[in-house]
Amino acid sequence: MEVSVCSDINFSTRELISIIEHDPIITLKLLKLVNSAYFGLSRKITSIKHSVVYIGANTIKNVAMAITTIGILPTKAHAGINRNNFLMHSLTTASLAKLIAKEKGVAEAQLTDYFIAGLLHDIGVILAAQLVQDEYRAVLHLTQNCGMTLHEAEQRILGFNHAEMSAILVERWKFPQHLVESIRNQHSLEQMSDPSLLERVVFVANQVSKLIDHDEPENKMSRVETIPGYIEQWLGIPIEEVPGTLDALPSELEKAKAYLDL
């Protein structure tokens, strides 16, 4: 599926259905997911058109984008990265970004940007790990044994970080600039005086995702970053309390696991 349709907020439902239906792999996986416990529908859905009717075009767009992203990733992760852990972090961040944005009053029709920004925020990790495998093993050693965050370790070893790589990829895929910038600036909020709502949400969703991650220390790619004071003030609560304010979070996390079986 062309990622450009997911970058266009003015796409028509007819265009979305047509694009998905022209990709049999995406169609099969999307219908499998729609008919799974992920959505818990009472009737079997047999077409993309019916999926849109029962679930909504924006949700179908999110699902299709997630399936497309998973399809882009190599079947075997490189440099010691656990592919399923990476995917779960990306999907969790996407779900959190959508839920936090909704809590902050973002309209339903605009939540797709938050979901996609969360989903793609670390996509550059996979590219970097493929291109410089030995160096990336050294990066992961620093994060897992020396208390450094992933982007700090990347900067030290590689001279660049995954936020830059992710933003370059997303920009090449023709996503809107505000989404690109939210990914590029995800680790720069301490130096920013007035980040956008999308930038704030992506940062917070990423940190909360790391907070609730129950992986063993040797499988963790990064650590929770320092939360700027103005972000804590904007949240109104310590970041550790954010998960407890999102009633839909447990079900969203269960749903995210369904992607791993596609």
Side-chain angles (χ1 to χ4, degrees):
M1 188 183 79
E2 290 289 335
V3 294
S4 58
V5 71
C6 295
S7 67
D8 183 5
I9 61 172
N10 298 312
F11 76 98
S12 73
T13 300
R14 183 178 296 177
E15 288 172 325
L16 177 65
I17 292 171
S18 175
I19 288 170
I20 294 174
E21 286 181 336
H22 277 82
D23 190 321
I25 294 175
I26 298 294
T27 297
L28 285 171
K29 289 185 174 183
L30 192 149
L31 290 175
K32 179 182 177 182
L33 194 63
V34 166
N35 285 297
S36 73
Y38 182 102
F39 288 105
L41 299 178
S42 58
R43 59 169 293 174
K44 186 175 179 63
I45 304 299
T46 57
S47 72
I48 301 302
K49 186 179 291 186
H50 285 149
S51 298
V52 170
V53 170
Y54 280 90
I55 296 167
N58 282 325
T59 299
I60 289 298
K61 184 178 177 183
N62 289 350
V63 171
M65 188 63 218
I67 293 171
T68 302
T69 300
I70 292 168
I72 290 170
L73 301 180
T75 55
K76 182 180 179 181
H78 296 278
I81 292 174
N82 183 301
R83 185 178 185 271
N84 273 5
N85 289 354
F86 174 84
L87 274 176
M88 198 60 204
H89 171 69
S90 299
L91 290 162
T92 299
T93 304
S95 298
L96 281 162
K98 182 180 69 173
L99 292 175
I100 293 167
K102 194 170 185 177
E103 285 288 312
K104 289 294 183 180
V106 175
E108 191 73 31
Q110 297 174 325
L111 293 178
T112 291
D113 272 359
Y114 292 82
F115 182 90
I116 292 176
L119 181 69
L120 299 178
H121 77 288
D122 276 352
I123 194 72
V125 168
I126 297 298
L127 179 59
Q130 282 184 281
L131 293 177
V132 286
Q133 294 186 38
D134 291 341
E135 292 88 343
Y136 216 82
R137 287 191 183 90
V139 167
L140 293 179
H141 176 81
L142 286 181
T143 65
Q144 292 162 354
N145 299 285
C146 302
M148 296 182 71
T149 62
L150 186 63
H151 70 281
E152 290 170 339
E154 289 169 334
Q155 205 69 48
R156 176 176 294 188
I157 300 291
L158 306 177
F160 61 86
N161 65 61
H162 66 272
E164 299 166 33
M165 292 284 284
S166 300
I168 289 169
L169 279 174
V170 173
E171 195 164 34
R172 287 178 66 88
W173 291 338
K174 302 188 186 307
F175 280 89
Q177 199 60 34
H178 68 277
L179 197 150
V180 173
E181 292 306 314
S182 73
I183 291 173
R184 178 176 285 120
N185 295 329
Q186 61 180 289
H187 302 300
S188 305
L189 266 69
E190 282 190 317
Q191 289 81 50
M192 300 172 70
S193 59
D194 189 25
S196 68
L197 180 61
L198 183 58
E199 288 168 329
R200 293 171 189 241
V201 169
V202 169
F203 172 80
V204 171
N206 189 17
Q207 304 317 311
V208 174
S209 181
K210 289 183 279 190
L211 268 175
I212 64 178
D213 176 12
H214 298 302
D215 287 331
E216 296 299 320
E218 62 270 18
N219 290 327
K220 289 182 182 290
M221 282 203 310
S222 192
R223 299 170 182 272
V224 178
E225 297 163 42
T226 301
I227 311 300
Y230 73 90
I231 292 294
E232 284 196 338
Q233 189 174 15
W234 171 72
L235 283 172
I237 55 174
I239 197 165
E240 293 82 4
E241 296 179 17
V242 171
T245 68
L246 305 172
D247 294 339
L249 182 57
S251 63
E252 286 293 321
L253 296 183
E254 282 303 310
K255 289 176 181 179
K257 293 176 184 176
Y259 284 103
L260 304 183
D261 298 326
L262 292 177

